[in-house]
Amino acid sequence: MIAETNVQLDNLIFPLFLTEGVNFKNEVTSMPGIYRYSQDTLLKELENCLQLGLNKICLFPAIADEKKDPIASESYNPEGLYTSTIKQIKSTFPEIILMTDVAMDPYSSDGHDGLVRGGEIVNDETLHILGKMALAQARAGADIIGPSDMMDGRVGYIRELLDDEGFSNVSIMSYTAKYASAFYGPFRDALDSAPKNGDKKTYQMNPANKKEAILEAELDFQEGADFLMVKPALAYLDVIKLLSDNFEIPIAAYQVSGEYAMTKAAAQNGWLDGEEIMLETLLSIRRAGASAILTYFAKEFAQWVNKDK
Ligand code: PBG
């Protein structure tokens, strides 16, 4: 009755990892309870999620090395693993709200989110590739496009392209304040997507900055973003609050792989109560002002909600 904040299953989006193969399901070592799925086992897992009332997902692909190249051409292949799986999911389970990932890293032989030339990331040329990727995903049936690449100007570029092609109802959740963070380690292991050279500090944000988050948010807002996301979540609650105090569109937060891994590792050692930490951290992210939370705990939370039913 007196709680000012709550977490509901409807706030949560479940990130899932897709890989090649058939009848394949393999646990990510640093993320207990989280798996890489082939298309068929993924569909079974989605059925389980739906039975628990969890219907919002974000899909990330692990692409075979031989399909990677410097221009990430597999990312806009309409018959590729990712796009064909999106089609399959939306035709099997139309009630699923499917968010996609737009960035070059899973498909790039350089392992960077943008195009690399002479050891540098070339922002404006990357936009053409991101645009083709977003369009291929929208054509396959994506509901929300999630540009996680952090190139400047990509939200406006993608928005215009989607509108021109008749996808004005497809929304954009921009990774607005995405920090260059060590908390992404387990994710890069899961997808084998770590940069081959250098780091991501020329395009992801400096953890020291929050005014810059306002600038990024203003640009994304003007360019037509439907949600502004902060990532990671727990170490950046002040940034979530800042954006939620200053912008009238929904704020999202990504409780990332490292946040999940830390909690699971401590819980497995009996050093923390994993379930309590899940509930408390999710509540803190909501309290800071996020309405949507991407979290690897989404299914576990759904199970917790259903426990006493
Ligand atoms: C890359 C991408 C990353 C995550 C989502 N998209 C990692 C990175 O920037 O290297 C991280 C998610 C997580 O750690 O859970 N485009």
Side-chain angles (χ1 to χ4, degrees), residues 31 60 101-103 105-106 113 148-149 175 178 183-185 187-188 193 200 204 231 254-258 296:
M31 303 177 75
F60 292 96
D101 183 56
V102 170
D105 57 331
D113 294 19
S148 69
D149 53 281
Y175 288 63
K178 177 174 177 182
F183 282 107
Y184 308 148
F187 175 95
R188 293 178 189 169
S193 65
K200 299 193 175 185
Q204 297 183 349
K231 175 184 176 184
Y254 198 143
Q255 184 176 51
V256 300
S257 57
Y296 300 95

Side-chain angles (χ1 to χ4, degrees), residues 179-187 232-236 256-262:
Y179 287 88
S181 169
F183 282 107
Y184 308 148
F187 175 95
L234 198 56
Y236 298 87
V256 300
S257 57
E259 300 179 66
Y260 179 83
M262 283 192 316

Side-chain angles (χ1 to χ4, degrees), residues 169-212:
N169 287 337
V170 172
S171 48
I172 298 180
M173 183 185 289
S174 177
Y175 288 63
T176 294
K178 177 174 177 182
Y179 287 88
S181 169
F183 282 107
Y184 308 148
F187 175 95
R188 293 178 189 169
D189 293 343
L191 297 188
D192 189 23
S193 65
K196 300 285 182 281
N197 285 296
D199 54 38
K200 299 193 175 185
K201 291 183 182 167
T202 63
Y203 46 102
Q204 297 183 349
M205 280 179 57
N206 183 339
N209 291 0
K210 67 177 177 186
K211 278 194 203 160
E212 194 183 350

Side-chain angles (χ1 to χ4, degrees), residues 5-278:
T5 311
N6 59 39
V7 185
Q8 287 176 339
L9 190 49
D10 261 339
N11 299 118
L12 308 186
I13 302 172
F14 191 24
L16 290 144
F17 299 129
L18 167 71
T19 188
E20 316 263 353
V22 182
N23 197 19
F24 180 86
K25 177 181 171 186
N26 136 278
E27 195 170 37
V28 180
T29 313
S30 49
M31 303 177 75
I34 298 296
Y35 299 83
R36 300 176 193 86
Y37 296 96
S38 54
Q39 198 183 97
D40 53 331
T41 57
L42 178 71
L43 287 170
K44 281 194 206 109
E45 175 64 3
L46 293 180
E47 203 176 329
N48 296 335
C49 291
L50 285 173
Q51 272 163 8
L52 293 166
L54 173 57
N55 71 337
K56 288 173 271 308
I57 66 156
C58 180
L59 195 61
F60 292 96
I63 301 293
D65 272 342
E66 61 271 17
K67 291 194 181 148
K68 298 184 183 181
D69 64 23
I71 60 162
S73 46
E74 181 64 15
S75 69
Y76 44 86
N77 174 0
E79 310 300 329
L81 171 71
Y82 194 58
T83 40
S84 64
T85 306
I86 295 169
K87 265 184 234 154
Q88 185 72 46
I89 293 172
K90 289 296 296 188
S91 61
T92 317
F93 305 116
E95 66 271 43
I96 284 189
I97 297 173
L98 199 162
M99 171 171 165
T100 55
D101 183 56
V102 170
M104 286 176 63
D105 57 331
Y107 318 89
S108 154
S109 43
D110 294 302
H112 272 287
D113 294 19
L115 189 64
V116 181
R117 186 163 303 134
E120 292 192 347
I121 310 295
V122 283
N123 189 94
D124 294 9
E125 282 177 62
T126 301
L127 300 187
H128 302 297
I129 299 171
L130 300 176
K132 286 193 223 177
M133 199 183 307
L135 204 52
Q137 295 170 356
R139 286 188 178 126
D143 299 292
I144 304 174
I145 303 286
S148 69
D149 53 281
M150 287 301 274
M151 297 303 122
D152 292 331
R154 91 283 202 208
V155 172
Y157 186 89
I158 292 171
R159 182 73 272 160
E160 204 179 314
L161 207 58
L162 291 177
D163 289 352
D164 286 351
E165 297 286 328
F167 295 106
S168 50
N169 287 337
V170 172
S171 48
I172 298 180
M173 183 185 289
S174 177
Y175 288 63
T176 294
K178 177 174 177 182
Y179 287 88
S181 169
F183 282 107
Y184 308 148
F187 175 95
R188 293 178 189 169
D189 293 343
L191 297 188
D192 189 23
S193 65
K196 300 285 182 281
N197 285 296
D199 54 38
K200 299 193 175 185
K201 291 183 182 167
T202 63
Y203 46 102
Q204 297 183 349
M205 280 179 57
N206 183 339
N209 291 0
K210 67 177 177 186
K211 278 194 203 160
E212 194 183 350
I214 297 260
L215 176 64
E216 293 281 0
E218 273 167 0
L219 290 169
D220 286 354
F221 179 71
Q222 281 163 16
E223 289 175 31
D226 300 286
F227 304 76
L228 304 174
M229 188 210 292
V230 176
K231 175 184 176 184
L234 198 56
Y236 298 87
L237 292 177
D238 57 332
V239 182
I240 298 173
K241 164 124 175 70
L242 187 68
L243 295 196
S244 116
D245 285 348
N246 287 286
F247 292 87
E248 303 303 326
I249 57 175
I251 304 299
Y254 198 143
Q255 184 176 51
V256 300
S257 57
E259 300 179 66
Y260 179 83
M262 283 192 316
T263 306
K264 284 291 169 189
Q268 283 185 344
N269 271 300
W271 295 341
L272 286 174
D273 181 330
E275 188 175 281
E276 290 292 335
I277 296 287
M278 165 180 81

